[in-house]
Amino acid sequence: MPQSSRYSDERVEQLLAQLAQVLEKDKAPTDLSLMVLGNMVTNLINTDIAPAQRRSLARSFAEALQSSVRDDNAH
């Protein structure tokens, strides 16, 4: 069952576009972009989530990421 969000699709798309714009402006290659975004996620978890819930949230995040990655050949 898809998980509903308390945030509108418009708000999510707006932030996504802004983040992508920063990475594109810097001409960051994919590996650097992934490193930066991964570090951002880690920082958010470590600073905004209670220590007892961090591993569980990181696991859920990783599972959601894996389930959203497509196996097709589209770029």
Side-chain angles (χ1 to χ4, degrees):
M1 175 193 318
Q3 187 170 359
S4 62
S5 174
R6 67 181 118 174
Y7 304 105
S8 69
D9 289 345
E10 181 180 319
R11 179 73 172 132
V12 171
E13 292 299 322
Q14 179 185 40
L15 283 172
L16 181 60
Q18 290 173 357
L19 291 169
Q21 185 178 34
V22 168
L23 295 171
E24 288 171 11
K25 180 180 176 187
D26 192 69
K27 296 182 172 65
T30 301
D31 60 340
L32 177 57
S33 296
L34 290 170
M35 285 175 32
V36 168
L37 293 170
N39 287 346
M40 178 181 264
V41 169
T42 300
N43 185 56
L44 287 169
I45 290 171
N46 285 334
T47 59
D48 294 349
I49 305 299
Q53 296 178 316
R54 290 177 187 162
R55 293 226 181 254
S56 175
L57 180 64
R59 189 175 306 109
S60 295
F61 181 85
E63 289 170 1
L65 176 62
Q66 286 182 325
S67 70
S68 69
V69 173
R70 300 183 316 213
D71 290 328
D72 62 14
N73 292 329
H75 288 347

